Amino acid sequence: MILDTKIIEAIETAADEYGQPPALARRLIAWLEAVADESEDINDTAVTDRRLEIVYEAVSLSSDVKDDETAGGDDDDGEEND
């Protein structure tokens, strides 16, 4: 099975919009393609852990990304805070 191009585009767009490096998108896409063509079993814990580590290494933890994620903090429960 081939990974849909819309999924690939969505991953690339999301990575770009959130200031993540292109390597993150490439690694996520490669993983999904491996699962889609059944060359990798997503239920294999050891393989999944290895892939997650590769993905985590590509994530940018710049202050801009952290600030976007923490804007509003844990207050995302729909209630107004003073």
Side-chain angles (χ1 to χ4, degrees), residues 56-77:
Y56 291 152
E57 289 173 359
V59 172
S60 172
L61 296 178
S62 71
S63 60
D64 293 339
V65 173
K66 286 182 184 176
D67 290 344
D68 288 347
E69 290 176 355
T70 58
D74 295 326
D75 300 329
D76 196 20
D77 57 4

Side-chain angles (χ1 to χ4, degrees), residues 6-39:
K6 289 182 181 181
I7 293 172
I8 293 170
E9 290 172 10
I11 292 169
E12 291 171 339
T13 299
D16 184 55
E17 285 181 7
Y18 285 92
Q20 294 300 313
L24 176 60
R26 286 192 306 269
R27 291 174 185 185
L28 286 168
I29 292 165
W31 185 10
L32 292 175
E33 286 175 336
V35 171
D37 71 13
E38 298 180 0
S39 65

Side-chain angles (χ1 to χ4, degrees), residues 31 35 40-56:
W31 185 10
V35 171
E40 204 163 283
D41 181 6
I42 198 163
N43 295 311
D44 183 333
T45 306
V47 172
T48 299
D49 287 347
R50 180 180 55 81
R51 282 285 192 171
L52 284 172
E53 195 163 320
I54 291 168
V55 168
Y56 291 152

